[in-house]
Amino acid sequence: MDAIPLTRNFLVNNQLRWHGMTTGIIERPRFLCALGGALSTLNALPGAVPIIHASSGCGGNIYQAYNGGAGYLGSGYCGGLALPSSNVYEEEIVFGGENRLAEQIANTLKVVDGELYFVVTGCMTEMIGDDARAVASRFRDQGLPVLVADTGGFRGNSYQGYDIILQTLFRDFVARTSCQENKTLNLWGIVPGQDVFWKGNLQSLKTLLGNLGYQVNTFFGEGETLANLQNAARATLNIVVSDTYGIGAAKVFAEVHGVPYISVPLPIGPTATGQFLRTVGATLEIASKFVERLIRIEEDRYYSYYERLADIYNDIDLQRYAIVLGDANYAPALARFLADDLGWLPELAVVTDILDEHDRELVRQRFQDFQSGIQPRVVFDSNASRVAGYLNEYWLRNRGQRYYDALSPAFVLGSIYDRDLAETLGAAHLSVTFPVTNRIVLDRSYAGYSGGLRLTEDILSVLVAGR
Amino acid sequence: MDYIKQKTPPVREDRLRACNAFGGTCCDLVGASRSGCLYGLKRAFAQTYTCQLGLSLAILNTLRDAVIIIHGPIGCGGSNIANAGLAKNLQRLRDPRARGLIWLSTNLTEIDAIRGGEDKLKEAIWYAEREFRPRAIIIVNSCVPALIGDDIDGLVEGLQKEVSATIVPVHCPGFKAKIMASAYDAVYHGALRNLVKAPAYYDRVLPDDLEELKEKYSRSRTVNLLNVSSMSRQDELELTRLLQALDLKVNLLPCYAHPDSFEDATEAALSVSICPTHDDYFIGHLQAKYGIPFILRTIPLGIKHTSAWLLDIARFFGLEKEAQQLIAEETRQLQEALAPYRQVLQGKRAFIGGGEIRVGATAALLQELGMEVLGLRIYHYDHFADEIYDELNGKETMVVNVATSQPFEQANLLAKLKPDIYLGHVGLNGWAAKQGIPVCPVYGVNNLYMGYAGMFEIARRLVRILKNPSFNRNLAAHTRLPYFAKWYQENPFAYIDNNVLTGNK
């Protein structure tokens, strides 16, 4: 397996500028390192046991971040402080850590019960040139299920870690086959942990496509097994629910197994989900009458609930200006939902990822075709405190005038970091994008039709909480 | 003690010969420690824990009016993400205007690892200064810059003249320390070099002898009370209440302190630790450099240890008789209140996990409540805990496992010992829960544990938790730990490497 080309990330770091300042440094990042994404991904994979080849603190640090940041994700089967780790120290840094890794793998196989063991590396072991691949392959050659990927933290952020793990799985674990099942799809692009609602979202989309008559592998969702993953090359199409996450893996899948992919945005609410079904339907050449019928049934159900909002929404005027902050999946998806389904005014959308210009353009496009005609201003910035500055540029401050068109009433839909912004603006706030530390999230989903209902409940509940 | 001329402090395994890999009885542990034969630091199978950088942040994140710069790849210090919301609320219990936790990552990439990260660090310092104007900018140095040799102190020396915030480098690269508690020394080292200094005084224009006498008296009655980030505001208030009852004034630091509190620290009459593991480096230096004596013995948990802690302090101020009186009255009231709880707790079998001092004192506390302590798990062990552990009842049979996390050893022990209740540390409680054991966290940042009032709260909490253990019992019925069944048949300490030649490396 080749790691993701590093240059892409580096160019971004060196070229992006905000008011003359490079964005190399980040104030309160909303993601971790490649190892972080790799571990949150592996912990979501049923039967997988990660083996970290790194300093002692990497695993514990990443666990704390995702447990708290992803709505109390927990340790899971073999995550958290149970993560097997070589815990290299100064001696290994000086003399090399390969022997320690071999010992750790051998003993993990004795103590920890897993179906698949996956060695992931940290910065230090990569910097000293440990050949984790060679060590792991000694076990693999004996027929033991041991995979390996270079996930040193400095290779990129969590999203790249996710992509690296998927690439490795697709290359080294998914069985090559000539047998195609034309009613089977694979779906990814929703990053466990970074998407706090990942498991619910995967389940919603699986159910939705199930209604079109398809069996969907999501690898990380409910009821998934490693066997499904191993047989994933039988699928007829890969659906990447993202413009930017898991795209590298989709290319690897296409190259190794010949299964094509489409990239679609995360659908939240009826407008986006209708479009999602139409896109997938068209790609799979499903009769449009069939797709439209499904959409009608789902919309009828959706509006049978929304009908109840006719009273309260209009009795107390629940329309709001909104500021949306989130990653490349969530920022456009939330803004579109607010504009097209909830009838709100998302004025500013902050995309908090590190993206190159190509990916930025893809994400920008997603803000351009809102059915309501609303067009939020879109900025790309990973620094948590910068948002107030953008607002000042965009929405004129009150300069003492008696009649002032304020950005009010307003709602901040972002992460826990953005509670401060909401406080400053006197706006309401709900955490939905990573990190979410003030909510417990289990199977809640914001994707699809039912996801739109959940999000409506959560947002509007904030506004009636004082009643 | 004088290490502060060095840029970086020594790690605990070198300075204190601390150990984090041991299994045996409490008696064996103390015996080995006292004879200098406790050196285990190695396992042939290991699980992750936290590095000294992560633990350094536990203290540094609490400081008010400070910005933290994590100098490393983007993931380092990611645990801050989980504390972003909480830190602000906890800071605001001390100062309603506190800004909360602000941190920057220098986001070092592989290219930076080759050409050096100093430029990015400089940029981060300027960003912090310009955007937030903090009193202190704290640089937390991680593995990558330590390995490539970024000259942080040199850079800071040059930049400090241009920046109004006090810049505090904290050297805590994870790979350097096996003993996580080295973090405390790293933090205090940075504070001692940059924040602790005698405040400047100016002569009064109009002399006022009475006022000067008052100030002098006030200083002679002020103690530095060194808190820990794992204690709550309620804990602080309980200890302050006890010291105020002896007419002492309290300067609380380092946690949730304003950086200026470190200057005040040089004026106190006495430094009082509530945890030798946490503070010996700091108060040793305060004594060496500023002549401030200290008390460093135990943690005020339970009647015995709270009273001993209080008496030590009172003795220093010549208030032993007054303290005895206070202790007698506090104990009388507490014992009376505890009576109904004792009935429930009598004979209940407990297992405790956490830091060496807290675990030892909590064991004594549970024994005071009439409970039986089956076993202890402690993050690391050094001579500071010898007295506490030597005084525990039943030490001949009590199992002790020295391990930084390592939940696989815990799972094996708990399966064998089957305690009625487990008192443990964040990150390990969930694993005990999955074995169906009722769990009481051994500390809490929102709950009272310390002093006399704390003992009552602990008793009340234990009884409440034991009243309905359904949640964990159900969990055990529907989940499993990730270890093979045969692991539970093995010696829980099978992977501890005690080889004298390799084990102490």
Side-chain angles (χ1 to χ4, degrees):
Chain A
M1 187 214 72
D2 295 326
I4 285 193
L6 292 164
T7 42
R8 191 165 104 172
N9 200 23
F10 293 145
L11 285 176
V12 172
N13 281 328
N14 292 330
Q15 286 182 355
L16 291 188
R17 282 169 189 277
W18 186 90
H19 289 200
M21 182 182 265
T22 70
T23 57
I25 64 163
I26 299 178
E27 184 222 330
R28 282 184 286 170
R30 296 168 199 247
F31 34 75
L32 277 93
C33 55
L35 179 62
L39 286 174
S40 74
T41 303
L42 287 172
N43 282 331
L45 191 65
V49 171
I51 300 172
I52 309 170
H53 186 38
S55 305
S56 66
C58 296
N61 168 57
I62 287 160
Y63 154 66
Q64 286 179 55
Y66 279 110
N67 181 40
Y72 303 92
L73 187 56
S75 301
Y77 175 66
C78 190
L81 298 179
L83 283 165
S85 174
S86 63
N87 297 352
V88 296
Y89 300 106
E90 213 157 6
E91 308 87 87
E92 285 85 11
I93 301 305
V94 175
F95 299 111
E98 291 175 15
N99 290 342
R100 175 69 195 102
L101 175 61
E103 176 185 60
Q104 179 67 20
I105 297 173
N107 288 330
T108 302
L109 291 165
K110 283 185 208 154
V111 176
V112 183
D113 185 2
E115 290 174 63
L116 175 67
Y117 300 83
F118 206 128
V119 177
V120 284
T121 55
C123 297
M124 298 313 278
T125 55
E126 289 196 33
M127 282 175 77
I128 60 172
D130 274 1
D131 192 347
R133 200 166 297 280
V135 177
S137 65
R138 298 213 293 266
F139 291 88
R140 237 184 137 194
D141 293 346
Q142 297 166 42
L144 296 162
V146 181
L147 295 182
V148 59
D150 296 322
T151 51
F154 50 31
R155 284 177 180 272
N157 65 18
S158 300
Y159 298 107
Q160 275 119 24
Y162 170 75
D163 207 313
I164 292 171
I165 294 301
L166 285 183
Q167 287 187 32
T168 309
L169 289 169
F170 294 162
R171 230 186 262 278
D172 298 341
F173 186 71
V174 172
R176 284 161 178 73
T177 177
S178 52
C179 154
Q180 294 283 310
E181 293 167 1
N182 58 13
K183 285 287 179 189
T184 302
L185 309 170
N186 300 315
L187 180 144
W188 69 84
I190 288 171
V191 182
Q194 284 296 138
D195 181 340
V196 179
F197 304 89
W198 59 279
K199 200 159 183 176
N201 285 347
L202 288 173
Q203 185 60 27
S204 289
L205 297 177
K206 183 178 181 135
T207 309
L208 199 61
L209 295 172
N211 292 341
L212 281 180
Y214 282 80
Q215 173 67 39
V216 184
N217 298 315
T218 63
F219 313 142
F220 308 106
E222 289 177 23
E224 294 289 332
T225 61
L226 281 179
N228 288 349
L229 173 60
Q230 202 153 22
N231 294 325
R234 294 181 187 172
T236 168
L237 179 70
N238 292 327
I239 300 173
V240 184
V241 190
S242 179
D243 290 313
T244 53
Y245 315 140
I247 299 292
K251 288 177 179 157
V252 166
F253 207 117
E255 177 195 310
V256 178
H257 303 287
V259 180
Y261 75 93
I262 56 166
S263 160
V264 291
L266 175 68
I268 299 178
T271 310
T273 309
Q275 206 174 64
F276 170 82
L277 288 172
R278 287 184 188 105
T279 309
V280 174
T283 312
L284 292 168
E285 294 171 352
I286 303 170
S288 81
K289 229 166 71 186
F290 183 66
V291 176
E292 291 303 326
R293 197 172 140 261
L294 175 64
I295 291 173
R296 205 169 49 249
I297 292 169
E298 291 284 355
E299 284 187 354
D300 284 350
R301 176 177 175 271
Y302 192 90
Y303 277 93
S304 75
Y305 289 103
Y306 251 44
E307 186 179 25
R308 291 170 41 190
L309 293 174
D311 301 80
I312 188 69
Y313 186 104
N314 295 292
D315 280 342
I316 63 170
D317 178 14
L318 287 175
Q319 190 191 48
R320 294 291 182 268
Y321 292 108
I323 298 158
V324 172
L325 305 98
D327 65 17
N329 274 12
Y330 266 102
L334 292 170
R336 171 187 289 269
F337 169 75
L338 293 181
D340 290 354
D341 297 324
L342 208 53
W344 282 18
L345 300 163
E347 294 292 336
L348 177 67
V350 183
V351 182
T352 52
D353 283 349
I354 303 175
L355 300 173
D356 63 13
E357 194 44 46
H358 171 262
D359 284 354
R360 281 182 176 205
E361 197 44 44
L362 289 176
V363 175
R364 249 183 235 119
Q365 294 294 331
R366 298 296 184 194
F367 288 96
Q368 305 229 318
D369 55 344
F370 289 6
Q371 214 173 60
S372 54
I374 299 289
Q375 261 205 6
R377 183 179 152 117
V378 180
V379 295
F380 293 84
D381 199 322
S382 305
N383 296 299
S385 296
R386 277 283 165 78
V387 183
Y390 291 115
L391 273 181
N392 284 340
E393 275 174 37
Y394 171 52
W395 198 279
L396 286 181
R397 281 183 163 191
N398 189 343
R399 293 181 182 148
Q401 63 267 51
R402 181 170 166 196
Y403 294 107
Y404 168 62
D405 180 19
L407 184 70
S408 169
F411 198 105
V412 174
L413 197 57
S415 75
I416 188 64
Y417 296 166
D418 310 308
R419 191 161 64 183
D420 293 350
L421 174 72
E423 223 172 79
T424 314
L425 294 173
H429 166 257
L430 181 71
S431 308
V432 295
T433 56
F434 188 87
V436 174
T437 58
N438 60 338
R439 301 177 65 186
I440 302 270
V441 179
L442 298 172
D443 71 344
R444 183 161 298 256
S445 158
Y446 286 151
Y449 293 97
S450 55
L453 290 175
R454 284 301 80 67
L455 187 54
T456 306
E457 286 177 343
D458 294 343
I459 289 174
L460 297 186
S461 291
V462 174
L463 299 180
V464 298
R467 289 172 74 91
Chain B
M1 194 186 304
D2 189 7
Y3 295 104
I4 55 175
K5 288 203 182 70
Q6 303 171 15
K7 283 181 186 165
T8 59
V11 293
R12 291 261 170 120
E13 49 268 40
D14 296 339
R15 183 169 72 84
L16 297 171
R17 298 211 311 149
C19 136
N20 74 357
F22 171 86
T25 68
C26 183
C27 207
D28 296 342
L29 174 79
V30 176
S33 169
R34 284 187 166 155
S35 59
C37 300
L38 196 64
Y39 46 73
L41 288 166
K42 210 175 167 193
R43 282 176 173 79
F45 170 74
Q47 290 166 309
T48 187
Y49 48 100
T50 308
C51 59
Q52 55 165 343
L53 185 146
L55 192 58
S56 294
L57 287 171
I59 304 179
L60 297 169
N61 285 345
T62 67
L63 294 181
R64 291 183 266 132
D65 203 9
V67 171
I68 316 279
I69 296 172
I70 297 160
H71 187 37
I74 191 71
C76 287
S79 56
N80 276 4
I81 287 170
N83 291 318
L86 182 64
K88 185 170 183 176
N89 292 332
L90 294 176
Q91 282 187 15
R92 286 195 167 178
L93 291 176
R94 281 81 177 179
D95 175 2
R97 293 159 311 160
R99 183 160 40 194
L101 168 58
I102 306 277
W103 79 95
L104 305 170
S105 167
T106 53
N107 186 14
L108 297 183
T109 60
E110 206 163 14
I111 283 184
D112 299 319
I114 295 160
R115 69 178 176 200
E118 292 176 19
D119 287 346
K120 276 180 140 177
L121 179 57
K122 203 182 271 182
E123 188 186 321
I125 292 170
W126 277 118
Y127 185 103
E129 169 83 354
R130 210 165 27 218
E131 292 277 322
F132 304 106
R133 293 268 157 194
R135 171 69 181 82
I137 294 174
I138 296 160
I139 300 165
V140 179
N141 190 22
S142 74
C143 293
V144 170
L147 189 63
I148 62 178
D150 277 359
D151 181 11
I152 291 166
D153 292 86
L155 182 144
V156 167
E157 211 182 311
L159 216 54
Q160 183 63 79
K161 299 180 196 85
E162 303 170 49
V163 172
S164 70
T166 302
I167 309 176
V168 182
V170 172
H171 295 279
C172 49
F175 76 92
K176 291 266 188 187
K178 292 171 187 157
I179 302 294
M180 206 164 68
S182 302
Y184 303 131
D185 303 348
V187 168
Y188 279 135
H189 189 83
L192 283 159
R193 275 168 66 94
N194 300 281
L195 292 175
V196 179
K197 58 176 184 205
Y201 280 106
Y202 305 96
D203 289 339
R204 284 172 189 277
V205 180
L206 295 174
D208 183 336
D209 292 348
L210 183 61
E211 210 43 53
E212 268 169 37
L213 219 57
K214 276 186 190 164
E215 277 173 21
K216 207 171 152 193
Y217 176 75
S218 167
R219 285 204 286 271
S220 76
R221 289 272 166 171
T222 300
V223 299
N224 292 323
L225 178 56
L226 302 174
N227 55 4
V228 298
S229 64
S230 57
M231 67 197 269
S232 63
R233 182 65 185 146
Q234 294 94 308
D235 286 330
E236 290 175 0
L237 292 175
E238 167 69 359
L239 299 185
T240 305
R241 176 183 76 85
L242 293 171
L243 295 180
Q244 280 173 347
L246 297 174
D247 196 26
L248 299 174
K249 290 193 177 58
V250 170
N251 178 36
L252 267 171
L253 76 160
C255 297
Y256 300 101
H258 189 275
D260 289 340
S261 301
F262 287 91
E263 284 187 14
D264 302 339
T266 61
E267 301 214 301
L270 179 72
S271 296
V272 176
S273 167
I274 62 136
C275 180
T277 293
H278 196 268
D279 301 320
D280 85 292
Y281 192 82
F282 185 57
I283 56 186
H285 280 99
L286 273 188
Q287 185 181 46
K289 203 163 171 204
Y290 299 95
I292 301 174
F294 61 79
I295 285 167
L296 178 84
R297 187 145 74 111
T298 187
I299 185 167
L301 275 171
I303 295 172
K304 180 179 153 189
H305 285 276
T306 302
S307 302
W309 181 81
L310 210 48
L311 268 178
D312 280 348
I313 300 165
R315 206 171 286 126
F316 175 84
F317 290 101
L319 297 166
E320 210 171 341
K321 219 179 83 208
E322 290 81 350
Q324 292 286 14
Q325 203 184 329
L326 175 66
I327 290 166
E329 184 54 26
E330 288 283 336
T331 310
R332 188 189 62 74
Q333 289 186 23
L334 174 61
Q335 292 289 19
E336 209 179 291
L338 284 175
Y341 299 95
R342 277 181 197 289
Q343 287 180 2
V344 182
L345 297 173
Q346 186 68 41
K348 288 276 186 302
R349 298 145 70 249
F351 191 100
I352 314 169
E356 57 171 352
I357 304 296
R358 188 183 278 265
V359 164
T362 300
L365 181 154
L366 297 187
Q367 291 182 341
E368 285 179 308
L369 286 172
M371 293 170 70
E372 189 189 341
V373 179
L374 299 178
L376 310 172
R377 295 190 80 240
I378 46 189
Y379 278 152
H380 77 273
Y381 194 86
D382 55 36
H383 72 87
F384 288 119
D386 287 346
E387 191 183 322
I388 297 173
Y389 283 73
D390 195 35
E391 288 172 3
L392 288 175
N393 300 330
K395 63 182 175 186
E396 297 76 14
T397 51
M398 191 186 293
V399 181
V400 179
N401 177 202
V402 184
T404 316
S405 296
Q406 310 308 322
F408 77 108
E409 287 176 3
Q410 170 173 298
N412 183 312
L413 279 169
L414 292 181
K416 291 191 167 100
L417 294 171
K418 297 188 176 56
D420 298 318
I421 190 155
Y422 170 91
L423 292 91
H425 205 273
V426 164
L428 290 158
N429 290 323
W431 297 111
K434 284 179 162 184
Q435 289 179 284
I437 303 163
V439 172
C440 174
V442 79
Y443 73 87
V445 292
N446 286 312
N447 286 325
L448 180 58
Y449 283 78
M450 289 186 183
Y452 300 104
M455 179 160 181
F456 176 73
E457 288 302 316
I458 292 171
R460 215 166 68 81
R461 203 173 288 138
L462 290 171
V463 169
R464 169 172 56 74
I465 288 167
L466 286 168
K467 209 165 179 177
N468 185 359
S470 302
F471 187 85
N472 291 356
R473 201 186 289 148
N474 296 340
L475 270 180
H478 294 96
T479 60
R480 60 175 288 250
L481 298 191
Y483 315 110
F484 286 114
K486 67 174 195 289
W487 165 238
Y488 299 96
Q489 315 306 319
E490 283 182 50
N491 175 355
F493 313 123
Y495 289 94
I496 292 177
D497 188 345
N498 276 323
N499 188 313
V500 181
L501 291 178
T502 61
N504 63 349
K505 269 197 181 164

